[in-house]
């Protein structure tokens, strides 16, 4: 029998053309019209569930007739509905998870309209009891917009905002961006917080790494003109910074694409000429953006989500949407050498678009990001929507990141400032890592704050903090994989009078042999860390100096604990 030899180059070509995704049958997932979805670990079992909003064809005649929302439980990779939300369901909707009472269980906000009353737009706030969701609040809502969750006033409690169209009796249709500030006992609504849009999207995010949250919003304004506005946060007030090329019918997704530590974004939309549009915007670190269109690939009326799809450590994106009355699903992979996105021609996703939803998450916990997509198939003769789950088939492995090793906290200007360093990952650049900050009133708790931040620092307003807090950080890589928890730190929160009366100085910096520490309060203890987080031997003398003479040249972190409870940290350069 003659042996068959396949040239290496041919074999490489075969491997390169292997499909990136395979469809996984999920017969229990409804085929939703006008949908939205959120994914999260609802029951803290380490597996992510899906909350779907939308409408369905309940009688099988190919026409939508019932608004239906469901929570789908993930059991060994198979989803099944465990709670239906009945008459309190919405479509043309938005949905987000947030833990609004900091009890460790993710609650839910939904907004949209119901076929029960087509002009009565509703907003629902659902509490997670541990065994299901119960309705806590029902208020006027919006359609053709979106939701975002964040902590705008730095009190540790998650706030949210709703954008879109709302009908107000006696006024008509409005297009405002409303803010809901979380005060534990309830939410304070700030109506028309910022100019809003219809058929657009928005994001509240730190654009310049100053630990203050900024805003980007686009879509049709009240005059039905396309807009795209960047606002920066100046002392708690959002101030217009710039206008980007006008878009509408848009969705955005944010990540640090190029590994420089600043949040970039991708937008799928229609431009001012109503042509399909797809572009990446790179952030210069000051909240200024450079637009790069991906010519010939524009999609509108769809969705876009980011994540490291090929486990190379860099954020990629998936986009679905419409072009010339056809639906498309596309994957773009970031090439770090060329610093550009390249289309994955072998993605093998089902083409979906038009008012669809998209989620990128690891549904089967195999370390690869999978894709959930829902939308209309324009090639279907009945123009029906479909819900599809696609498993990522990459064989490239990704390790979870390492947690930060150096955690520091300072008490200044009525703020507790947290910072950390020493995190790393096998693939994701350090500057592209995100972090989950947890702060609790007791060791092991996160009842004060727990949410994701995009750079290596954050602060909390100390006004309502207890006298002692415990905090830790987890790293998150581009594949959305979490590290273990860092070492938990204890921190004493001083009263305002104590802070004002405490003076401490550490000098000189850079230091050669002897570091001086002077304070109005006695020094209780000290620690000196290297950049790997290891404590080094640097003796504190009786005259309050620290001996650096035996240390190697480099950067160190000095932590001083005073007897009055104040703790301070400072980076020191050893020459």
């Amino acid at each position: 029998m003659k042996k068959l030899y396949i040239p290496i180059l041919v074999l490489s070509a075969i491997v390169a053309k292997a499909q990136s995704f395979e469809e996984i049958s999920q017969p229990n997932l409804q085929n939703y019209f006008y949908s939205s979805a959120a994914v999260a670990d609802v029951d803290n079992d380490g597996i992510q569930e899906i909350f779907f909003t939308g409408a369905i064809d309940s009688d099988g005649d190919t026409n939508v007739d019932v608004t239906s929302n469901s929570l789908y439980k993930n059991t060994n990779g198979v989803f099944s509905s465990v709670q239906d939300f009945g008459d309190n369901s919405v479509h043309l909707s938005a949905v987000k998870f947030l833990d609004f009472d900091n009890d460790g269980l993710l609650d839910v906000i939904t907004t949209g309209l119901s076929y029960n009353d087509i002009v009565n737009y509703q907003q629902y706030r659902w509490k997670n009891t541990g065994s299901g969701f119960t309705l806590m609040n029902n208020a006027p809502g919006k359609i053709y917009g979106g939701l975002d969750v964040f902590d705008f006033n730095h009190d540790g409690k998650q706030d949210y905002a709703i954008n879109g169209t709302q009908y107000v009796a006696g006024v008509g249709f409005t297009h405002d961006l409303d803010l809901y500030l979380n005060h534990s006992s309830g939410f304070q609504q700030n109506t028309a917080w910022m100019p809003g849009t219809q058929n657009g999207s928005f994001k509240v995010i730190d654009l310049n790494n100053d630990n203050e949250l900024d805003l980007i919003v686009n879509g049709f304004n009240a005059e039905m003109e396309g807009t795209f506005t960047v606002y920066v946060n100046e002392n708690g007030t959002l101030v217009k910074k710039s206008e980007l090329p006008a878009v509408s019918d848009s969705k955005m997704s944010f990540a640090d694409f190029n590994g420089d530590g600043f949040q970039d974004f991708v937008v799928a939309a229609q431009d001012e000429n109503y042509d399909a549009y797809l572009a990446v915007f790179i952030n210069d670190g000051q909240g200024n953006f450079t637009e790069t269109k991906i010519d010939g690939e524009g999609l509108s009326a769809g969705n876009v989500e980011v994540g490291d799809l090929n486990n190379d450590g860099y954020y990629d994106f998936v986009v679905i949407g419409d072009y010339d009355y056809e639906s498309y699903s596309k994957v773009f992979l970031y090439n770090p050498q060329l610093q550009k996105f390249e289309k994955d021609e072998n993605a093998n996703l089902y083409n979906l678009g038009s008012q669809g939803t998209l989620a990128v998450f690891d549904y089967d916990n195999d370390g690869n990001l999978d894709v959930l997509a829902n939308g209309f198939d324009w090639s279907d003769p009945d123009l029906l929507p479909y819900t599809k789950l696609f498993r990522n088939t990459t064989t490239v492995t990704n390790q979870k990141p390492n947690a930060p090793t150096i955690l520091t906290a300072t008490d200044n200007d009525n703020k507790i400032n947290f910072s950390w360093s020493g995190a790393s990952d096998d693939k994701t650049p350090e500057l592209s890592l995100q972090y989950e900050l947890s702060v609790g009133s007791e060791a092991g708790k996160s009842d004060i704050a727990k949410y994701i931040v995009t750079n290596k620092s954050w602060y909390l307003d100390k006004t309502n903090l207890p006298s002692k807090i415990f905090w830790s950080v987890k790293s998150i890589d581009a594949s959305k994989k979490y590290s273990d928890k860092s070492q938990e730190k204890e921190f004493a929160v001083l009263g305002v009078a104590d802070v004002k009366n405490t003076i401490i100085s550490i000098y000189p910096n850079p230091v050669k042999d002897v570091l001086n520490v002077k304070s109005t309060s006695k020094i209780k203890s000290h620690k000196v860390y290297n950049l790997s987080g290891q404590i080094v031997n640097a003796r504190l003398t009786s005259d309050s100096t620290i001996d650096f003479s035996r240390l190697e040249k480099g950067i160190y972190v000095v932590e001083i604990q005073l007897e009055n409870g104040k703790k301070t940290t400072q980076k020191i350069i050893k020459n």
Side-chain angles (χ1 to χ4, degrees):
M1 180 176 178
K2 189 175 182 179
K3 292 184 178 179
L4 178 64
Y5 293 94
I6 301 175
I8 293 176
L9 290 177
V10 174
L11 182 60
S12 298
I14 293 173
V15 172
K17 291 183 179 180
Q19 68 183 36
S20 303
F21 294 89
E22 62 178 2
E23 184 176 344
I24 302 299
S25 176
Q26 293 288 337
N28 297 320
L29 292 178
Q30 293 269 19
N31 292 320
Y32 287 95
F33 296 73
Y34 317 121
S35 67
S36 184
V39 296
D41 181 7
V42 171
D43 51 8
N44 292 329
D45 65 351
I47 303 174
Q48 297 189 78
E49 282 73 43
I50 307 171
F51 195 115
F52 244 117
T53 63
I56 60 172
D57 168 20
S58 66
D59 55 14
D61 67 354
T62 74
N63 294 311
V64 60
D65 50 31
V66 174
T67 307
S68 177
N69 296 177
S70 287
L71 173 69
Y72 290 90
K73 169 71 175 172
N74 184 348
T75 305
N76 298 322
V78 178
F79 291 94
S80 57
S81 178
V82 293
Q83 184 170 352
D84 182 88
F85 293 81
D87 289 342
N88 298 318
S89 296
V90 291
H91 66 279
L92 289 177
S93 49
V95 55
K96 288 287 184 181
F97 284 105
L98 75 163
D99 183 3
F100 56 65
D101 51 6
N102 283 1
D103 66 349
L105 296 172
L106 289 172
D107 312 303
V108 166
I109 305 288
T110 64
T111 185
L113 84 156
S114 169
Y115 277 109
N116 293 330
D117 187 343
I118 61 173
V119 296
N120 189 12
Y121 311 152
Q122 295 294 310
Q123 175 196 159
Y124 297 101
R125 195 178 304 137
W126 300 91
K127 176 176 171 54
N128 185 347
T129 65
S131 58
F133 289 88
T134 184
L135 183 61
M136 296 295 291
N137 185 266
N138 178 204
K142 298 176 185 285
I143 62 171
Y144 297 126
L147 272 165
D148 198 20
V149 175
F150 45 86
D151 178 12
F152 191 76
N153 56 0
H154 291 262
D155 65 353
K157 305 174 186 67
Q158 289 182 294
D159 315 307
Y160 67 95
I162 302 182
N163 187 36
T165 299
Q166 186 173 44
Y167 180 77
V168 179
V171 176
F173 290 99
T174 63
H175 308 89
D176 297 321
L177 181 58
D178 298 339
L179 171 67
Y180 290 80
L181 284 174
N182 188 346
H183 294 293
S184 292
S185 59
F187 286 84
Q188 172 191 317
Q189 180 181 358
N190 294 354
T191 304
W193 175 52
M194 296 297 294
T197 58
Q198 175 180 313
N199 294 97
S201 55
F202 78 102
K203 184 66 177 176
V204 179
I205 194 168
D206 185 359
L207 298 175
N208 52 9
N209 289 356
D210 65 351
N211 292 338
E212 301 292 354
L213 293 174
D214 311 300
L215 168 69
I216 297 183
V217 59
N218 56 42
F220 288 120
N221 62 17
E223 288 74 41
M224 297 306 292
E225 299 171 336
T227 62
F228 204 155
T229 309
V230 178
Y231 299 88
V232 295
N233 191 325
E234 296 183 2
N235 299 316
T237 300
L238 293 171
V239 178
K240 182 185 286 189
K241 180 177 179 63
S242 62
E243 289 284 347
L244 301 177
V247 296
S248 58
D249 219 358
S250 59
K251 294 292 184 181
M252 298 185 293
S253 193
F254 286 72
D256 175 15
F257 293 134
N258 57 1
D260 66 354
F262 299 101
Q263 294 298 300
D264 315 305
F265 69 94
V266 56
V267 59
Q270 62 182 19
D271 63 18
E272 58 185 354
N273 298 316
Y274 303 103
D275 293 327
Y277 172 89
L278 182 64
V280 172
F281 287 80
I282 299 298
N283 185 354
D284 70 352
Q286 301 299 316
N288 302 305
F289 292 90
T290 300
E291 174 198 29
T292 301
K293 291 183 182 179
I294 304 180
D295 293 328
E297 302 291 352
L299 296 175
S300 63
N303 218 314
V304 60
E305 287 293 337
V306 299
D308 180 8
L309 299 170
N310 57 358
N311 284 344
D312 68 347
Y314 289 86
Y315 284 94
D316 313 303
F317 68 86
V318 183
V319 58
I320 63 173
D322 301 339
Y323 177 75
D324 196 22
Y325 296 101
E326 291 188 39
S327 50
Y328 294 89
S329 299
K330 305 177 183 181
V331 172
F332 289 87
L333 304 175
Y334 186 73
N335 185 325
Q337 284 73 40
L338 300 178
Q339 295 189 341
K340 61 182 290 187
F341 284 93
E342 298 173 330
K343 186 177 178 182
D344 180 0
E345 299 290 353
N346 306 297
N348 194 44
L349 298 181
Y350 191 95
N351 289 325
L352 295 169
S354 191
Q355 305 298 332
T357 193
L358 194 60
V360 173
F361 70 116
D362 184 5
Y363 87 95
D364 53 0
N365 279 0
D366 67 350
N368 304 327
L369 288 178
D370 311 303
V371 175
L372 172 74
N374 168 266
F376 286 93
D377 176 7
W378 285 105
S379 67
D380 186 280
D382 296 313
L383 296 180
L384 290 175
Y386 293 93
T387 300
K388 303 282 188 178
L389 180 66
F390 302 93
R391 178 180 172 272
N392 190 335
T393 62
T394 183
T395 58
V396 178
T397 59
N398 174 51
Q399 304 299 318
K400 66 183 177 183
N402 298 313
T405 55
I406 302 175
L407 279 67
T408 60
T410 58
D411 189 334
N412 294 301
D413 298 327
N414 213 33
K415 301 174 182 177
I416 305 299
N417 297 285
F418 304 98
S419 63
W420 50 89
S421 59
S424 63
D425 185 64
D426 63 327
K427 304 284 181 61
T428 302
E430 180 184 348
L431 292 176
S432 292
L433 294 173
Q434 298 188 357
Y435 301 92
E436 182 186 75
L437 172 67
S438 296
V439 185
S441 61
E442 298 177 13
K445 284 190 173 183
S446 54
D447 55 335
I448 294 175
K450 184 179 180 181
Y451 44 67
I452 293 173
V453 298
T454 55
N455 59 304
K456 296 185 286 187
S457 60
W458 190 248
Y459 77 84
L460 291 180
D461 186 318
K462 64 179 285 186
T463 303
N464 295 313
L465 292 180
S467 59
K468 186 178 293 184
I469 60 174
F470 300 81
W471 68 287
S472 62
V473 184
K474 291 182 179 181
S475 309
I476 309 169
D477 69 12
S479 295
K480 305 185 182 182
K481 185 172 287 189
Y482 285 65
S483 73
D484 295 331
K485 186 174 74 172
S486 71
Q487 178 185 2
E488 189 172 57
K489 289 284 189 175
E490 178 183 336
F491 186 77
V493 179
L494 301 183
V496 175
D498 294 328
V499 173
K500 288 182 178 179
N501 293 331
T502 300
I503 300 173
I504 185 169
S505 59
I506 302 174
Y507 63 94
N509 191 11
V511 63
K512 184 177 180 181
D513 293 322
V514 177
L515 187 71
N516 299 294
V517 182
K518 303 299 181 185
S519 173
T520 54
S521 176
K522 290 184 178 180
I523 298 173
K524 181 180 180 181
S525 64
H526 83 293
K527 293 178 182 177
V528 179
Y529 299 89
N530 61 23
L531 285 185
S532 297
Q534 299 168 321
I535 297 177
V536 299
N537 185 16
R539 187 170 59 90
L540 177 69
T541 65
S542 58
D543 59 350
S544 298
T545 62
I546 300 176
D547 183 7
F548 265 66
S549 63
R550 292 183 174 85
L551 300 184
E552 296 181 358
K553 293 181 179 180
I555 299 174
Y556 296 86
V557 175
V558 176
E559 179 182 281
I560 303 295
Q561 176 76 56
L562 303 180
E563 287 189 352
N564 69 355
K566 182 177 175 63
K567 181 187 290 184
T568 188
T569 58
Q570 186 171 321
K571 286 186 178 179
I572 299 294
I573 299 172
K574 166 67 189 317
N575 283 338

